[in-house]
Amino acid sequence: ILDHSIDSIRLVDTDLRITWVNQTAVRELKKPMEEILGQHCYRLYTGRRQPCPGCPSIRCLKTGRIEQQTICENDVKGLKGVSYWDDFAVPLFDDSNHVSHIIQLSRDITGQKQMENNLKKSEHQLRERTKTLDNILLKASEGICVCHTIPDAPFIQFTHWNPRMTQITGHDRETFNEKSSDALFALFSSRLSRGEPDETQIRKEIVITSKEGEKKHMSVSISCLERTQDCIHLLGMVQD
């Protein structure tokens, strides 16, 4: 069973000399068993003359407890390049209750770490793109808004509303959604109800009443941003 484990399993003494390894370790090292037994684990795997930095086996000898450490290595024997290892050290005790041997378990988690690093990179890129988009929305000379369909009246709701939209209409997004009786609101509603193809863009001149009661002429461009099974998202560009 141990020989078929995906983990490299080794038994070492208190000097970290290897007294037994499973076949997974033999395959990783690409060495015959007789060249493995009796060697210090750190010398065999990395060529070091002293224990690896952060070695859980050293802590295990001191604490008498199971210890764990994720270790990054630049040059592990049998492998090329940087590799990551999830290492465990499990103490075995003699009749005097002193640590006599340590079971070392090592799992190659390089692929997992690479995926984590790629995910972090993607998240960073997404944050940067989001920041750029936020700056565009904040500084745009045009009003930019996004709405989507909802099941109940008034059947649409605005979810994005840049500062320029507030300047043009005199309403922030929340109050405009509550108002729901403006010509601009009606224009978005009609675009949704007409069932036109998604690629169809409409442009129209309309007159709205600002929060202060002022009549304002504006040019509105509406296009379909996204359509799902249950919802349609529209993008609006507004100029006064």
Side-chain angles (χ1 to χ4, degrees):
I1 293 174
L2 296 178
D3 282 336
H4 289 85
S5 171
I6 63 173
D7 298 323
S8 172
I9 305 174
R10 304 172 297 276
L11 184 67
V12 299
D13 61 20
T14 54
D15 290 327
L16 303 186
R17 289 185 181 274
I18 297 172
T19 61
W20 176 87
V21 296
N22 70 345
Q23 287 301 310
T24 304
V26 172
R27 288 192 296 271
E28 287 178 348
L29 290 166
K30 299 180 176 64
K31 290 178 179 289
M33 185 72 76
E34 56 269 22
E35 292 184 19
I36 296 174
L37 300 183
Q39 293 213 48
H40 290 103
C41 56
Y42 49 86
R43 184 70 179 271
L44 181 65
Y45 274 87
T46 69
R48 290 188 175 97
R49 296 184 178 275
Q50 57 188 5
C52 305
C55 174
S57 294
I58 296 296
R59 294 203 307 274
C60 180
L61 286 170
K62 294 178 180 179
T63 66
R65 298 193 300 264
I66 296 174
E67 299 288 347
Q68 182 273 339
Q69 184 73 38
T70 299
I71 295 179
C72 175
E73 290 289 356
N74 290 319
D75 188 21
V76 171
K77 296 297 176 63
L79 294 175
K80 294 182 179 180
V82 176
S83 59
Y84 292 86
W85 300 86
D86 196 11
D87 285 353
F88 285 84
V90 181
L92 298 179
F93 299 92
D94 59 20
D95 294 339
S96 301
N97 206 33
H98 296 125
V99 176
S100 62
H101 290 81
I102 294 174
I103 301 172
Q104 297 177 334
L105 298 96
S106 299
R107 177 170 295 187
D108 186 352
I109 58 170
T110 305
Q112 175 185 329
K113 277 293 183 180
Q114 288 173 342
M115 286 190 291
E116 290 176 359
N117 292 337
N118 289 338
L119 179 59
K120 289 178 182 178
K121 183 178 179 180
S122 297
E123 288 175 343
H124 174 73
Q125 291 173 340
L126 179 60
R127 284 194 298 270
E128 290 301 311
R129 290 170 184 162
T130 300
K131 188 186 298 183
T132 300
L133 178 58
D134 288 342
N135 286 332
I136 291 173
L137 293 175
L138 183 65
K139 298 176 181 180
S141 60
E142 293 180 315
I144 302 174
C145 59
V146 176
C147 73
H148 66 75
T149 52
I150 55 176
D152 301 316
F155 305 112
I156 65 170
Q157 183 177 54
F158 286 87
T159 55
H160 292 77
W161 194 267
N162 75 338
R164 184 66 179 130
M165 282 296 296
T166 301
Q167 293 175 355
I168 293 173
T169 65
H171 298 279
D172 59 24
R173 180 174 58 85
E174 289 78 10
T175 56
F176 194 80
N177 276 326
E178 293 172 0
K179 189 169 179 280
S180 68
S181 59
D182 193 278
L184 182 60
F185 214 102
L187 184 61
F188 276 88
S189 296
S190 67
R191 170 62 177 82
L192 290 169
S193 63
R194 278 160 33 188
E196 294 174 335
D198 291 349
E199 61 272 15
T200 301
Q201 184 181 74
I202 65 169
R203 296 176 182 272
K204 193 169 183 179
E205 304 291 325
I206 63 172
V207 178
I208 69 166
T209 303
S210 70
K211 187 176 181 180
E212 294 76 23
E214 176 188 359
K215 299 292 185 182
K216 301 186 71 172
H217 293 263
M218 61 181 57
S219 173
V220 183
S221 172
I222 301 175
S223 54
C224 182
L225 190 63
E226 181 183 24
R227 180 188 295 269
T228 64
Q229 184 175 356
D230 303 317
C231 189
I232 302 173
H233 298 259
L234 296 181
L235 170 68
M237 309 286 285
V238 180
Q239 292 179 318
D240 58 358

